[in-house]
Amino acid sequence: MYPNTQLFISGVWRAAASGETLSVENPATDEVIGTVAKAGRVDLDAALQAAQAGFEVWRKTSAMERAKVLRRAAELLRERAPEIAKVLTQEQGKPLAQSLVEANTAADVLEWFAEEARRTYGRVIPARIAGVVQRADKEPVGPVAAFTPWNFPIMQAVRKVGAAMAAGCSVILKGPEETPAACAELVRALADAGTPAGVVNLVFGSPAEISSYLIPHPIIRKISFTGSTAVGKHLAALAGQHMKRVTMELGGHAPVVVFKDADIAGGAKILAQNKVRNAGQVCVSPTRFLVQDEVYGDFIEQFTAHIATTKVGDGLEAGVEMGPLANPRRLEAVEALVADAVQQGAELRTGGKRIGNKGSFFEPTVLVDVPTAARAMNEEPFGPVALFSRFSTFDEAMVEANRLPFGLGAYLYTGSLSTANAAASAMESGMVSVNHQALGLIETPFGGVKDSGYGSEGGSEAIEAYLNTKFVTFAA
Ligand code: NAD
């Protein structure tokens, strides 16, 4: 039922030249469910040659044709979504309904970029001399190396591959080794839709070996990475040494500021649902809840009541609202962060423990009065953990919201338009959502500031990352 995953190079699914594979585990059962091919240098060289050849073809393919391929791939993804969702849940753990949303949303992303492909406008710049025409053209940047993580195996990949292909670039995608098969289904849809050989290539292996080979390689012109800030800084530095363009979608630690005039019941419910989405393994997951004194107790009580009733289990089972953490590494990390917060004086309101001894299940957790020095208040928990602290004044809330080097998602709940506007301006973050949880739609910008990275993977900005501007001037 769970497929083994191969490399996809120059239009062919193939084993690694060495025959090496890595095993894939189901985080709900700890069982090995399949394997993924482990690329070595020979495979990477083949992928590089393929990407170069694919780029030569694709850059000359009209935007209309590129759009057609992307749209056809979107249709295939939608048709296959129910099957892909089962694969995704088995390897990553999220509930089946969330996997289905991910596969279908990836189809929306491809359609968005199919349209964007047809709008890569340049401009004509008025000249100083009669008879001169000055043009700013947009051209694809070239073969792209894209590195994507395990939390949204299809979505993280489609945002990069869709934009790159729309712009006329070829791609070597280094997919997530722990969750390879759903990501491979995206590539299969693109291939089956008629993508020419070499335009999209998929490899897996040792992330450090692959990035240290591909990033400096002269064939690669652009790097895009989604993952932790620590790895992002390392890859951005390497890209800098070789003067490669970079997009970095890194970690976050989203503040949620709840003012006393907010809709407490509505906010508590929607935030609790959002906190357990993908077991909190979301870069814009609401994390540091800063609640105004007057409503602190009430908000925590309502939020806790909702989150404590979350149905946790194997994502394949009907009615499950939260699956396991995606790997044992996360389980250990979340356990350690909770233990440290409690040891530093936080009150554990609900959760806080591993569930059972099989699978990486962890209880939805609420920690109250968490001291700023606790590790969880400074490191991205990337798990189902909500951290509460109180504030009395607007300025106090903004100081805490902006305290960390992260600056990705931020949330505000208030009944006052002027408070919302003032806080949205004061937040040092790439995205702010007020009175609802609505970050990550493909038609809106998606990206961070500060240590959360740079570049946008949504909105009309997204395709810019894959385009060069060329100035051309003509004299009559
Ligand atoms: P990690 O820091 O080892 O890896 C994060 C991602 O980077 C993984 O996909 C990994 O394959 C990749 N990676 C690691 N070293 C690499 C290298 N040298 N070259 C290229 N890719 C490399 O940690 P992890 O345990 O996999 O995840 C933990 C942390 O990563 C989380 O706490 C979270 O902060 C972050 N993360 C963020 C996102 C996101 O959506 N921004 C997604 C996944 C993980």
Side-chain angles (χ1 to χ4, degrees), residues 35-398:
T35 60
V36 56
K38 181 174 186 281
R41 192 59 69 84
V42 176
D43 306 298
L44 296 181
D45 281 333
L48 284 159
Q49 294 309 319
Q52 182 64 51
F55 179 57
E56 295 309 328
V57 173
W58 199 236
R59 70 191 301 192
K60 294 184 200 121
T61 304
S62 75
M64 296 288 276
E65 282 303 314
R66 297 200 298 262
K68 270 189 206 158
V69 170
L70 292 173
R71 268 199 298 270
R72 215 174 300 135
E75 279 166 24
L76 291 175
L77 262 190
R78 274 203 197 92
E79 276 169 24
R80 300 171 184 178
E83 289 309 309
I84 297 174
K86 284 183 211 154
V87 166
L88 173 50
T89 291
Q90 286 178 77
E91 63 186 13
Q92 201 272 345
K94 66 183 64 169
L96 200 54
Q98 289 179 29
S99 294
L100 194 59
V101 168
E102 180 167 344
N104 280 315
T105 308
D108 296 348
V109 172
L110 289 176
E111 277 169 356
W112 166 263
F113 284 119
E115 294 306 315
E116 287 298 284
R118 308 196 304 166
R119 288 192 277 267
T120 52
Y121 307 128
R123 65 189 199 279
V124 173
I125 301 152
R128 296 178 176 204
I129 303 165
V132 167
V133 176
Q134 304 183 128
R135 238 172 49 198
D137 292 348
K138 295 289 181 182
E139 296 183 334
V141 67
V144 173
F147 300 86
T148 61
W150 45 262
N151 58 340
F152 291 94
I154 313 178
M155 272 305 288
Q156 304 283 25
V158 74
R159 281 175 176 272
K160 300 184 194 306
V161 175
M165 282 182 60
C169 298
S170 59
V171 190
I172 301 177
L173 171 62
K174 204 288 292 167
E177 290 73 22
E178 291 161 311
T179 58
C183 179
E185 287 306 313
L186 166 69
V187 173
R188 194 181 313 282
L190 287 161
D192 293 350
T195 301
V199 174
V200 60
N201 305 278
L202 176 65
V203 298
F204 299 94
S206 155
E209 274 175 37
I210 296 178
S211 59
S212 61
Y213 190 56
L214 293 188
I215 292 174
H217 200 284
I219 286 180
I220 297 298
R221 298 298 176 85
K222 154 91 192 174
I223 317 300
S224 184
F225 172 77
T226 299
S228 61
T229 293
V231 175
K233 285 184 174 175
H234 171 65
L235 300 190
L238 185 58
Q241 279 172 31
H242 298 274
M243 204 47 76
K244 304 288 171 82
R245 285 181 63 179
V246 174
T247 299
M248 287 282 154
E249 293 289 351
L250 308 178
H253 202 294
V256 184
V257 183
V258 180
F259 291 93
K260 64 184 178 192
D261 56 3
D263 168 7
I264 300 302
K269 185 173 177 197
I270 192 173
L271 281 160
Q273 287 166 346
N274 211 251
K275 179 69 250 186
V276 297
R277 178 175 161 243
N278 201 10
Q281 301 161 118
V282 182
C283 52
V284 293
S285 186
T287 296
R288 263 176 310 143
F289 290 74
L290 318 174
V291 185
Q292 203 156 19
D293 284 329
E294 291 84 342
V295 293
Y296 188 63
D298 188 18
F299 185 87
I300 292 172
E301 207 172 296
Q302 296 201 39
F303 179 93
T304 306
H306 285 298
I307 211 166
T309 59
T310 306
K311 187 171 176 206
V312 184
D314 186 325
L316 290 177
E317 284 167 24
V320 162
E321 294 164 311
M322 189 180 100
L325 292 163
N327 53 58
R329 246 179 5 267
R330 284 278 20 96
L331 187 62
E332 275 170 34
V334 174
E335 275 178 329
L337 289 175
V338 172
D340 169 79
V342 171
Q343 200 260 324
Q344 296 215 38
E347 179 202 335
L348 185 61
R349 204 46 89 80
T350 189
K353 295 190 304 296
R354 180 180 183 184
I355 304 172
N357 56 11
K358 194 174 63 133
S360 296
F361 294 98
F362 196 82
E363 295 171 331
T365 298
V366 173
L367 288 163
V368 172
D369 298 337
V370 190
T372 309
R375 278 180 51 209
M377 289 291 272
N378 300 280
E379 297 168 31
E380 187 174 25
F382 228 58
V385 179
L387 308 160
F388 280 88
S389 59
R390 63 204 301 158
F391 70 89
S392 51
T393 66
F394 177 92
D395 289 348
E396 221 179 283
M398 293 303 111

